[in-house]
Every structure is written in structure tokens, then in C-alpha cells.
Amino acid sequence: MTEIIMEARDVVHQYPDGTRALNNITLSLEKGKKIAFLGPNGAGKSTLFLHFNGILKPARGKIIFRGREIRYDHSSLTELRKNVGIVFQDPEIQLFSASVYQEISFGPLNMGLSREEVRRRVDRAMEITGVTGLKNKATHYLSYGQKKRVSIADILAMNPQVIIFDEPTSGLDPKLTGQIMELFDGFSREGKTVILSTHDVNAAYSWADHVIVIKDGSVAGEGEPEDIFQDDGLLAAADLDKPWLVDVYRQLRSRGLVAEGCGVPRTREKLFGLIRNI
Ligand SMILES: Nc1ncnc2c1ncn2[C@@H]1O[C@H](COP(=O)(O)OP(=O)(O)OP(=O)(O)O)[C@@H](O)[C@H]1O
Ligand SMILES: [Mg+2]
């Protein structure tokens, strides 16, 4: 049975300078799913994410977490943020402690955990994100990719049920990008809900269970990756490229070079397996 963990109902957000960034957004996110948000620059993805853990408050409409409308008093927000963690698009905004270790331990310490438990969580988060060797380094001097890793470790150490990553792989080298996407699969296998935004249509196509396309502050389309990425009208309207797997599969099929009757493959191995021997 599906369980809805997070909802936005008719959410409108207007920034103080008058920009209307969200325009009656209504959507429901299923617990335990891998959900990818796509859409052009300025579509409203980051603004929406900041609503999911209460950093921004809707001008109209509501955000509902586990069936209850979120409240914005200090203790409700503290509780919400134990459950819903967000890794910001820009790591510069997120990191504020002097050293890497202090930075990653800040969240768990504030949760009132024992020193032992904090150390265990920080060590694990550093190991997963590959920053153990930077433990005592000043966050200020880290490279962009290292900052990005530390900002992900920050949230891992909090161990939230819902993890939101705003463009987690932008600026990362390809090896780490692959590792990060695998890491997110691991969270999902633990039953966590993983939400991310990306401009990488190939990664979204192969990775996500559910894709939501945002444009001009509204939901332009949502569904399973196979459906979304074959909807040429939607892709054009939201300035999205087609994943290479879909493009190549269509070409091969139009020339009769793939077996009939199977859906569009989501991995290169599946595609290679479909190509006919001539
Ligand atoms: N603090 C702010 N004050 C005023 N306008 C803002 C602010 N933050 C974002 N905006 C505007 O709100 C709109 C949505 O921006 P948002 O950052 O949510 O888009 P996005 O989909 O995350 O884009 P990107 O793919 O570039 O990260 C844009 O028009 C942006 O200029
Ligand atoms: Mg953004």
C-alpha cells in the first residue's frame, strides 16, 4: 500500500521583491520512493524544496508532512528538521563551522545525542562521502566538490527519514557522481524517501521511481520516468533533453534492430541486451 509522506496543496510563494516563484503547486510524494524534480533554471525547484522543511513559508496553501500541516513555531520546526533534511544547492550557504568534523557533528549534537553516538555518526558520514581525510581541515579552504561532499555528510549524520538534495551532483567529478547516486539507492533501500533536483536527464531517467517536472512555478507533468521521457511535448515545453537511452532505443526500434514488445530500457546493460544479432 502506498503511503504519502509529503504533500504540497495549492502552494503559492512570492519573494519580497515580488517574484512569484510558486504558483498553486499541488503534489503528493510517496514514502520510500526515489523522486527526481526536473525543470529549467528559475522554475521554482529550490523554492519548493525550502518549503518541505519549513525554511520558507507559503504565502498561500499548505505543506503537509505525514498527514499533518506543518507548523512554523520553533519546536515544531526542530522536530520537522529531524525528519526532513535538506542539502542546499549551494554548499557555501550550508557550511558554517570552522572544521569539517565540527561542521558534520553540529546537527547530531543539537539533537541531544551522546558524544559516542555523535562520533559514530560523523565517522560513518565522513566515510560514506569520502571526506575522512579532511576531518580537521578548515571548511573555508575546501574545494567546491569537497564542500559539496561535506554538505551531504552534514545531513547523513542527522539520519532523517526524508532527504532532499538540491542538485547534489552539480560540480562533482564523474566518479563521485556515480557513487552519490548509488548512495541514494542505499538510502532508498533503507526505506528513506529520497528527493532530488537535477538537470541531468540521464541520471533522473535511470535512477528515479517518479519524476516531477516543474516549470514557471507549477507542475508541468509527473509520472514514471518511462512515460515522462517519451512525452515529447512535455520535454519541449520544459526545455528538457531526451535521455540518450530513449533516443538510441527509438532509433534502433525504428530500424527493427531491437526485440519487439519490451519497454524502453532504463540501463545501458538492458539496452545492449535488447539489440538483435543480425
Ligand atoms: N531570495 C530570492 N528573492 C527573490 N527572488 C528569488 C529568490 N530566490 C529565488 N528567486 C526567484 O524565484 C524563482 C525560482 O527560483 P528557484 O531558485 O526556486 O529556481 P530553480 O528551479 O531552483 O532554478 P535552478 O535550476 O537555477 O536552481 C526565480 O525566478 C528566482 O529568480
Ligand atoms: Mg535551484
Side-chain angles (χ1 to χ4, degrees), residues 124-125 128-129 152-160 163 165 183 187:
R124 183 167 173 268
I128 292 174
T129 52
I152 293 172
D154 258 358
I155 301 306
L156 297 194
M158 307 267 292
N159 196 25
I163 319 185
F165 298 97
L183 180 66
F187 298 150

Side-chain angles (χ1 to χ4, degrees), residues 9 11 32 41 76 89 103 135 142 144 153 161 187 224 227 240 246 260:
R9 283 202 203 143
V11 170
N41 292 136
S76 304
Q89 182 165 355
E103 173 63 39
K135 187 172 177 172
L142 298 174
Y144 178 81
Q161 275 307 301
F187 298 150
E224 295 191 2
D227 298 329
L240 293 171
V246 176
E260 288 293 321

Side-chain angles (χ1 to χ4, degrees), residues 52-68:
F52 287 150
N53 85 339
I55 294 171
L56 291 179
K57 195 175 171 186
R60 275 215 322 266
K62 43 184 124 160
I63 302 290
I64 296 165
F65 176 62
R66 291 202 298 221
R68 293 169 71 175

Side-chain angles (χ1 to χ4, degrees), residues 47-91:
T47 304
L48 178 63
F49 285 3
L50 295 174
H51 282 76
F52 287 150
N53 85 339
I55 294 171
L56 291 179
K57 195 175 171 186
R60 275 215 322 266
K62 43 184 124 160
I63 302 290
I64 296 165
F65 176 62
R66 291 202 298 221
R68 293 169 71 175
E69 184 173 348
I70 68 173
R71 296 207 310 257
Y72 295 86
D73 59 280
H74 184 70
S75 71
S76 304
L77 287 178
T78 306
E79 192 52 34
L80 176 72
R81 287 171 192 162
K82 280 187 198 163
N83 292 295
V84 183
I86 180 165
V87 179
F88 294 129
Q89 182 165 355
D90 180 359

Side-chain angles (χ1 to χ4, degrees), residues 117-134:
E117 175 64 11
V118 170
R119 188 166 311 129
R120 207 184 56 73
R121 286 195 184 194
V122 175
D123 285 346
R124 183 167 173 268
M126 289 195 301
E127 195 187 318
I128 292 174
T129 52
V131 297
T132 307
L134 301 170

Side-chain angles (χ1 to χ4, degrees), residues 13-277:
H13 187 80
Q14 186 151 343
Y15 282 109
D17 70 355
T19 307
R20 200 176 163 107
L22 299 178
N23 243 325
N24 290 308
I25 290 241
T26 294
L27 46 81
S28 301
L29 306 179
E30 264 182 53
K31 187 176 176 191
K33 293 277 183 203
K34 297 186 283 183
I35 302 158
F37 282 78
L38 294 163
N41 292 136
K45 304 176 296 296
S46 296
T47 304
L48 178 63
F49 285 3
L50 295 174
H51 282 76
F52 287 150
N53 85 339
I55 294 171
L56 291 179
K57 195 175 171 186
R60 275 215 322 266
K62 43 184 124 160
I63 302 290
I64 296 165
F65 176 62
R66 291 202 298 221
R68 293 169 71 175
E69 184 173 348
I70 68 173
R71 296 207 310 257
Y72 295 86
D73 59 280
H74 184 70
S75 71
S76 304
L77 287 178
T78 306
E79 192 52 34
L80 176 72
R81 287 171 192 162
K82 280 187 198 163
N83 292 295
V84 183
I86 180 165
V87 179
F88 294 129
Q89 182 165 355
D90 180 359
E92 301 282 351
I93 296 176
Q94 188 164 330
L95 307 183
F96 63 90
S97 299
S99 78
V100 168
Y101 189 89
Q102 283 172 344
E103 173 63 39
I104 304 170
S105 58
F106 182 81
L109 277 174
N110 266 357
M111 288 165 78
L113 301 169
S114 70
R115 291 248 156 209
E116 275 311 295
E117 175 64 11
V118 170
R119 188 166 311 129
R120 207 184 56 73
R121 286 195 184 194
V122 175
D123 285 346
R124 183 167 173 268
M126 289 195 301
E127 195 187 318
I128 292 174
T129 52
V131 297
T132 307
L134 301 170
K135 187 172 177 172
N136 298 313
K137 185 147 176 130
T139 50
H140 184 65
Y141 291 124
L142 298 174
S143 74
Y144 178 81
Q146 290 170 334
K147 284 183 181 156
K148 201 86 183 170
R149 291 176 190 224
V150 172
S151 70
I152 293 172
D154 258 358
I155 301 306
L156 297 194
M158 307 267 292
N159 196 25
Q161 275 307 301
V162 178
I163 319 185
I164 302 172
F165 298 97
D166 201 357
E167 297 195 26
T169 55
S170 69
L172 297 186
D173 59 53
K175 186 169 167 218
L176 188 66
T177 299
Q179 287 170 354
I180 296 272
M181 297 313 276
E182 272 173 34
L183 180 66
F184 295 171
D185 278 346
F187 298 150
S188 171
R189 282 193 296 273
E190 287 171 18
K192 295 184 191 306
T193 309
V194 186
I195 300 169
L196 58 81
S197 71
T198 180
H199 291 286
D200 183 342
V201 289
N202 293 304
Y205 176 66
S206 295
W207 177 83
D209 299 316
H210 192 76
V211 173
I212 301 177
V213 180
I214 304 288
K215 181 157 194 281
D216 297 334
S218 302
V219 177
E222 64 171 311
E224 295 191 2
E226 291 90 335
D227 298 329
I228 293 295
F229 289 111
Q230 292 197 85
D231 185 337
D232 293 344
L234 173 63
L235 297 181
D239 298 327
L240 293 171
D241 280 340
K242 212 173 273 132
W244 73 265
L245 275 164
V246 176
D247 243 356
V248 172
Y249 173 80
R250 279 192 180 176
Q251 274 295 321
L252 291 170
R253 200 180 58 180
S254 71
R255 296 173 197 203
L257 296 173
V258 285
E260 288 293 321
C262 23
V264 202
R266 303 243 327 254
T267 64
R268 72 175 65 212
E269 291 74 25
K270 286 231 173 70
L271 174 66
F272 295 165
L274 293 178
I275 299 174
R276 281 203 175 121
N277 289 319

